[in-house]
Amino acid sequence: MESQSAVISEPRLPGFRVHLENFDGPFDLLLQLISKHKMDVTDVALSVVTDDFISHIRLLEEEGKGWQLDQATEFLVVAATLLDLKAARLLPSGEIDDESDLALLEARDLLFARLLQYRAFKEIAAIFEKRIEVAERSFARVVSLEAHLVDLLPEVILGLSPERFAALAERALAPRDELTLSVAHIHVPLVSVAEEGERIIELFKVRKTMTFRTICQSADSTLVIVARFLALLELFKEGVIRFEQLVALGDITVHWTGAEGRKIKVSDEFDTPVSTLEEGDNG
Amino acid sequence: MDRDEAIGALEAILMVIDEPISATILAQILEVPLGELEEVLRSLARSYLEDSRGFELKEIAGGWRFYSSPAYAQYVEKFVISGQPGKLTQAALETLAVIAYRQPVSRARVSAIRGVNVEAVMKTLGVRGLVEESGIEYETGAVLYSTTPYFLERLGLNSLNELPEIAPFLPDIHALDEVISTLTD
Amino acid sequence: MDRDEAIGALEAILMVIDEPISATILAQILEVPLGELEEVLRSLARSYLEDSRGFELKEIAGGWRFYSSPAYAQYVEKFVISGQPGKLTQAALETLAVIAYRQPVSRARVSAIRGVNVEAVMKTLGVRGLVEESGIEYETGAVLYSTTPYFLERLGLNSLNELPEIAPFLPDIHALDEVISTLTD
């Protein structure tokens, strides 16, 4: 069995280096520093990291190595998690004086845990790869029965009619994926942006000005907060609200500017299950 | 039956089988208690290794059989037209890792952990015989997936218990998984 | 190559080949003079006998191969009689069904359709006299397999024409095969 202490692995994004003011080195090392609490994610300029990555990919392209889909996918996942993590960190925390602060802190830890989990499975995948390589160097003895023993074999009993045999063939020859029952509809988001939008509009019928914090007070999960945020963006697009933030990282105040009684519909474009992000993979 | 006789009989039977054979069947044929027989198999396997033989006796996916020693792979490869399918991609390996440690697991859950849609990759793993449908999740009706015996074979493992511990890579991953699922499902 | 390395390589090769192999070919692969190699093979065969191993290395009709030792024939015969039931496993039946409806067909193609390595199962079908080699695929040089008259007899049919038609509704199954084979080859 492989050494399990070897948590620090080879770089997963070979050759990709990040050049920041406070850090200069392989992307993987940056991740490790963050995941070991040696570096604060809020100190990382993600835009610079992204720029670096894009130029890294361009360079590969120019060198004729083509578009590295594996690398790009991996980068997107890690960068998205870092962004989530950073967003959670940047939200005001300070003293924990109410429930919503606590929820934000938890959300931050959860994102952190998710990053760790993501990386753990990458380590395991590397072990799988090595194991497969080793196993492939061993060949099984697969031999026919020695001639004098074949005579001892009992007569074969197929035990089925030609019709049953044909049915078996049909099943064995059928393309497998058609047997998979789609259950995508069962996993539709439990939170609907459109519905949360309706709820916000109801709130504005009572008060014309509210902070984002107030709007999210009754939210019982991070997902609801996200849905309400998206609904607000939709309403902004409709031109019926405006945002105001007096100090950086301060409370966001939302003002209703729409006409009384105007019928507003929050679109449900965010509620469609994501099915377009496919991993480019056929092996 | 004395030990030498048992060893000889085991070697003779193992020489004619075309698929792995379980210790239970061998114990029945030799009329030897299972525990005793397993001990003989293990010490036999060890002796081949100690003698640096060109072959190994291994228990993989629940059955014993002879394999060529990896040390001589370069020679054997000239005879065996490698029926081994191509290499798995990084994405496939990682998805396989998630399924191996979370089985039985729904596609949605794997997707949540991997952070991307895994539909295509899981189809590939299924076609390659590495994972299979193994049930339905009671609460959601989602199809659950598990690894196959062929998966164990490809990794050269006897059972899932031989998978490396994940704990050193991530403390208390099961607890985390539960909370994370509330975030992502 | 020193003697120990040569012995290891020989044992490794002989353990996984099915057909007897000539000393000439082995000498070429190992890059060892033929005379020297034959001497190693003979002394190896002798050592197995002296150690009362359950297997023997024998040269029959110009080819070397491992066989089970006659000294333990009673156990091997007991295994063959008891361990090989008249009934086929589900995997063997399905593989047989694929061959029956696709013949003549290469092993790689069957493997692609079944989604698993079918080497062992096809050997079993061959040993049971249900399928046989029937030609060579022109483009690839792969061996093609067909069912035997014995297969028809066991299914109670007079000719392959009597096999019930299957699934005319399956869309262009050959095209699907192509897709599947790109996934698995």
Side-chain angles (χ1 to χ4, degrees):
Chain A
M1 201 108 314
E2 280 75 5
S3 159
Q4 292 169 342
S5 59
V7 175
I8 295 180
S9 65
E10 298 159 28
R12 310 296 312 190
L13 290 174
F16 173 43
R17 298 177 70 87
V18 183
H19 305 284
L20 302 173
E21 271 182 31
N22 49 355
F23 175 85
D24 194 299
F27 185 52
D28 207 58
L29 181 59
L30 176 65
L31 278 185
Q32 285 184 20
L33 291 175
I34 293 172
S35 66
K36 289 193 161 65
H37 292 278
K38 296 261 170 64
M39 192 162 172
D40 193 329
V41 68
T42 54
D43 291 338
V44 178
L46 283 175
S47 64
V48 179
V49 176
T50 307
D51 286 348
D52 281 359
F53 182 73
I54 290 170
S55 43
H56 169 70
I57 288 282
R58 289 229 174 95
L59 199 69
L60 287 181
E61 251 183 319
E62 281 163 21
E63 288 172 356
K65 290 179 186 160
W67 228 85
Q68 306 289 309
L69 197 57
D70 266 11
Q71 283 196 29
T73 314
E74 180 174 330
F75 177 78
L76 281 178
V77 174
V78 174
T81 310
L82 281 178
L83 191 61
D84 283 352
L85 189 59
K86 192 167 174 175
R89 281 268 191 147
L90 287 175
L91 286 167
S93 46
E95 290 166 43
I96 301 165
D97 48 11
D98 69 21
E99 290 291 309
S100 59
D101 274 353
L102 195 63
L104 282 174
L105 271 178
E106 279 172 5
R108 191 186 67 190
D109 290 347
L110 288 176
L111 288 166
F112 194 71
R114 192 174 164 186
L115 184 62
L116 282 180
Q117 176 177 257
Y118 177 78
R119 291 179 52 69
F121 281 114
K122 293 187 85 62
E123 308 284 348
I124 294 287
I127 291 177
F128 276 18
E129 193 172 21
K130 283 203 199 87
R131 286 212 68 101
I132 290 174
E133 272 169 25
V134 171
E136 275 174 356
R137 295 179 61 76
S138 234
F139 298 86
R141 177 171 173 90
V142 181
V143 298
S144 311
L145 213 49
E146 293 165 24
H148 68 278
L149 295 168
V150 172
D151 299 337
L152 293 171
L153 286 175
E155 187 101 81
V156 176
I157 302 159
L158 288 185
L160 34 71
S161 66
E163 287 71 30
R164 289 269 315 282
F165 185 75
L168 191 73
E170 217 159 82
R171 215 174 54 230
L173 289 166
R176 231 148 309 191
D177 37 11
E178 282 189 4
L179 299 176
T180 314
L181 183 69
S182 168
V183 289
H185 57 282
I186 292 166
H187 294 283
V188 292
L190 301 170
V191 180
S192 145
V193 174
E195 277 172 31
E196 293 303 322
E198 298 301 321
R199 229 161 258 156
I200 292 170
I201 292 169
E202 287 305 309
L203 286 176
F204 277 118
K205 281 183 182 161
V206 184
R207 289 164 66 186
K208 295 288 167 231
T209 298
M210 281 179 288
T211 61
F212 181 63
R213 189 184 292 267
T214 313
I215 292 169
C216 291
Q217 206 138 47
S218 64
D220 51 9
S221 77
T222 316
L223 204 52
V224 172
I225 296 175
V226 173
R228 289 193 185 168
F229 178 69
L230 292 174
L232 283 171
L233 292 182
E234 284 285 305
L235 291 170
F236 181 74
K237 212 166 77 187
E238 290 292 321
V240 295
I241 58 168
R242 70 181 170 81
F243 297 104
E244 185 179 46
Q245 187 178 32
L246 295 175
V247 291
L249 307 183
D251 269 356
I252 296 171
T253 310
V254 190
H255 301 278
W256 183 262
T257 58
E260 293 276 343
R262 188 185 146 196
K263 190 86 183 123
I264 303 291
K265 199 175 174 333
V266 178
S267 91
D268 58 358
E269 67 164 294
F270 288 114
D271 294 342
T272 321
V274 179
S275 60
T276 44
L277 182 61
E278 289 274 350
E279 268 180 90
D281 180 278
N282 62 358
Chain B
M1 175 181 290
D2 70 15
R3 195 182 170 88
D4 284 349
E5 178 89 355
I7 290 176
L10 283 176
E11 285 184 332
I13 294 171
L14 287 163
M15 206 48 66
V16 304
I17 55 166
D18 60 359
E19 53 187 30
I21 186 167
S22 77
T24 316
I25 292 178
L26 288 169
Q28 280 166 11
I29 292 167
L30 269 59
E31 294 171 26
V32 164
L34 179 61
E36 216 172 284
L37 186 107
E38 283 178 324
E39 192 276 309
V40 175
L41 280 167
R42 277 193 296 269
S43 82
L44 192 55
R46 215 162 33 236
S47 77
Y48 294 144
L49 283 177
E50 282 163 7
D51 297 349
S52 302
R53 296 255 168 222
F55 49 79
E56 292 180 1
L57 178 57
K58 287 196 286 194
E59 188 185 21
I60 287 179
W64 292 85
R65 77 165 139 179
F66 277 115
Y67 291 83
S68 66
S69 157
Y72 301 98
Q74 57 172 128
Y75 303 109
V76 179
E77 273 161 5
K78 294 183 178 161
F79 287 93
V80 183
I81 299 146
S82 176
Q84 306 284 14
K87 274 175 85 98
L88 293 170
T89 62
Q90 193 62 29
L93 278 168
E94 288 172 22
T95 306
L96 194 56
V98 173
I99 298 168
Y101 283 85
R102 286 289 184 279
Q103 58 187 308
V105 64
S106 71
R107 200 170 66 198
R109 170 65 62 94
V110 178
S111 204
I113 294 172
R114 297 268 298 116
V116 281
N117 186 318
V118 294
E119 191 176 348
V121 177
M122 286 192 59
K123 223 171 247 177
T124 304
L125 292 175
V127 169
R128 287 216 173 176
L130 293 162
V131 306
E132 62 190 357
E133 295 181 10
S134 62
I136 300 285
E137 193 167 59
Y138 180 71
E139 301 87 13
T140 61
V143 176
L144 294 172
Y145 295 85
S146 297
T147 56
T148 60
Y150 177 64
F151 159 81
L152 291 176
E153 230 176 89
R154 282 304 302 278
L155 265 77
L157 300 175
N158 184 36
S159 81
L160 289 172
N161 295 333
E162 290 181 9
L163 283 175
E165 292 260 338
I166 199 169
F169 298 99
L170 188 56
D172 200 10
I173 194 161
H174 283 284
L176 285 175
D177 202 28
E178 292 309 313
V179 216
I180 289 165
S181 71
T182 66
L183 257 189
T184 48
D185 277 357
Chain C
M1 175 179 288
D2 68 17
R3 193 183 169 88
D4 283 348
E5 175 90 358
I7 290 177
L10 283 175
E11 284 186 331
I13 294 167
L14 289 162
M15 190 50 76
V16 300
I17 52 151
D18 190 12
E19 298 296 318
I21 186 170
S22 79
T24 317
I25 293 178
L26 286 169
Q28 279 167 9
I29 296 287
L30 269 57
E31 294 171 24
V32 166
L34 179 60
E36 215 171 286
L37 187 105
E38 284 179 319
E39 189 276 308
V40 174
L41 280 168
R42 277 193 298 268
S43 83
L44 198 52
R46 211 162 38 237
S47 77
Y48 295 145
L49 281 177
E50 282 163 7
D51 297 348
S52 303
R53 293 263 165 215
F55 47 81
E56 286 182 353
L57 181 56
K58 284 197 291 193
E59 186 185 19
I60 293 179
W64 292 83
R65 185 189 190 268
F66 274 121
Y67 296 89
S68 62
S69 158
Y72 302 95
Q74 53 162 318
Y75 302 106
V76 176
E77 283 167 13
K78 190 172 168 191
F79 162 73
V80 171
I81 292 163
S82 71
Q84 310 256 348
K87 282 185 86 118
L88 296 175
T89 61
Q90 187 65 21
L93 271 176
E94 284 177 18
T95 305
L96 183 61
V98 170
I99 298 168
Y101 280 88
R102 281 302 162 72
Q103 56 188 306
V105 64
S106 71
R107 198 171 70 199
R109 174 60 63 94
V110 178
S111 192
I113 294 172
R114 298 266 299 117
V116 287
N117 187 325
V118 294
E119 187 179 354
V121 174
M122 286 191 62
K123 261 202 181 130
T124 304
L125 293 173
V127 168
R128 306 311 291 263
L130 294 162
V131 306
E132 63 189 358
E133 297 182 6
S134 62
I136 300 286
E137 193 168 60
Y138 180 71
E139 303 88 9
T140 62
V143 176
L144 295 171
Y145 295 85
S146 298
T147 54
T148 60
Y150 179 67
F151 158 76
L152 289 175
E153 185 195 304
R154 299 318 295 167
L155 202 59
L157 301 176
N158 286 316
S159 83
L160 285 173
N161 295 333
E162 290 179 14
L163 269 179
E165 295 230 351
I166 59 165
F169 52 82
L170 274 184
D172 196 11
I173 197 148
H174 283 285
L176 281 170
D177 272 2
E178 295 306 321
V179 179
I180 292 168
S181 70
T182 63
L183 286 177
T184 49
D185 280 354

